[in-house]
Amino acid sequence: SIALITLFGGQLNAVLIVLPTLIFMLSVSAGVHLVNYYRDAGGDNQPLAAVLAVRAGLLPCTLASCTTAVGLLSLLVSQLKPVRDFGFYAAISVLASTAILLLVFPTLVGFRWRRSSAVPTAYQPHSERNQLDAKFTHFIAKHANLLATSCTLLVIVVAVGIGELKSTVKIENMFERDSEIINNYTWLEQNIGPLISVET
């Protein structure tokens, strides 16, 4: 992620500092999905389970990565350059990390399998947990239209106030105008001088 900033001629700023952490967490999330596909394919008892896991996870992981990237690219409409930079580099990093994960996963799991092929898998196809998952999946499939309609209505309801959202980086804009901290800011600026952000 940080290397991409240099590659595209950008500069590191206070917002981009959190980029590696974000990409790390998203990569771990995608990795968890691949491990579940790996277990479904037979886990440590199946030499080709890693390849089958990547085949099964290729489309879902790619779609999730692309939708996340689109969401991050929406930050490009911000008036703040650091936020625009964050959206751009985060989107590219998400796509790159997903591609790397899909390419590296079979090799790493295959290496682990060769070293510890005797380790039993924890996957049990008829366990109580998997039966509960099956019931939940069946419920969602059976009531798909109702759930989709409910979620769409919920999105419409919560989107009513979206026009009131305003982005800011100024601390004082995050408080009510008549709050104590704003009154203190005003008094200090009128009686002492302009305030600047400092680190101690």
Side-chain angles (χ1 to χ4, degrees):
S1 299
I2 299 299
L4 287 172
I5 298 171
T6 303
L7 183 66
F8 284 91
Q11 281 188 319
L12 192 64
N13 57 48
V15 180
L16 289 174
I17 287 173
V18 301
L19 182 60
T21 307
L22 170 71
I23 301 306
F24 172 75
M25 294 308 298
L26 292 174
S27 299
V28 167
S29 175
V32 168
H33 286 291
L34 283 180
V35 169
N36 282 326
Y37 289 124
Y38 172 72
R39 291 174 59 193
D40 288 343
D44 294 337
N45 295 328
Q46 167 60 262
L48 294 176
V51 176
L52 297 173
V54 170
R55 271 191 199 161
L58 181 63
L59 184 61
C61 287
T62 303
L63 288 174
S65 177
C66 289
T67 54
T68 303
V70 169
L72 290 166
L73 286 172
S74 69
L75 296 175
L76 293 177
V77 301
S78 173
Q79 296 176 352
L80 306 170
K81 188 176 186 305
V83 175
R84 290 197 306 270
D85 288 347
F86 180 82
F88 175 72
Y89 292 117
I92 295 173
S93 298
V94 164
L95 296 174
S97 67
T98 302
I100 291 169
L101 180 66
L102 290 169
L103 290 170
V104 170
F105 183 82
T107 304
L108 293 178
V109 174
F111 177 72
R112 178 183 176 279
W113 186 85
R114 284 193 297 274
R115 292 188 61 191
S116 58
S117 58
V119 177
T121 178
Y123 179 70
Q124 298 173 346
H126 301 295
S127 68
E128 184 178 337
R129 168 65 189 273
N130 288 307
Q131 289 176 3
L132 183 64
D133 289 347
K135 288 179 181 177
F136 185 64
T137 304
H138 178 71
F139 174 81
I140 292 174
K142 185 177 179 181
H143 301 93
N145 291 334
L146 177 62
L147 290 170
T149 304
S150 301
C151 290
T152 303
L153 290 173
L154 181 63
V155 168
I156 292 170
V157 169
V158 297
V160 170
I162 202 165
E164 301 298 318
L165 293 176
K166 293 179 177 60
S167 61
T168 181
V169 291
K170 293 183 177 180
I171 299 292
E172 57 268 29
N173 290 343
M174 298 180 188
F175 296 93
E176 296 290 334
R177 293 191 177 197
D178 58 349
S179 64
E180 183 180 356
I181 190 169
I182 298 302
N183 292 333
N184 291 341
Y185 262 103
T186 306
W187 187 90
L188 288 168
E189 289 185 337
Q190 289 174 350
N191 295 282
I192 296 176
L195 297 177
I196 59 170
S197 298
V198 293
E199 290 184 2
T200 303

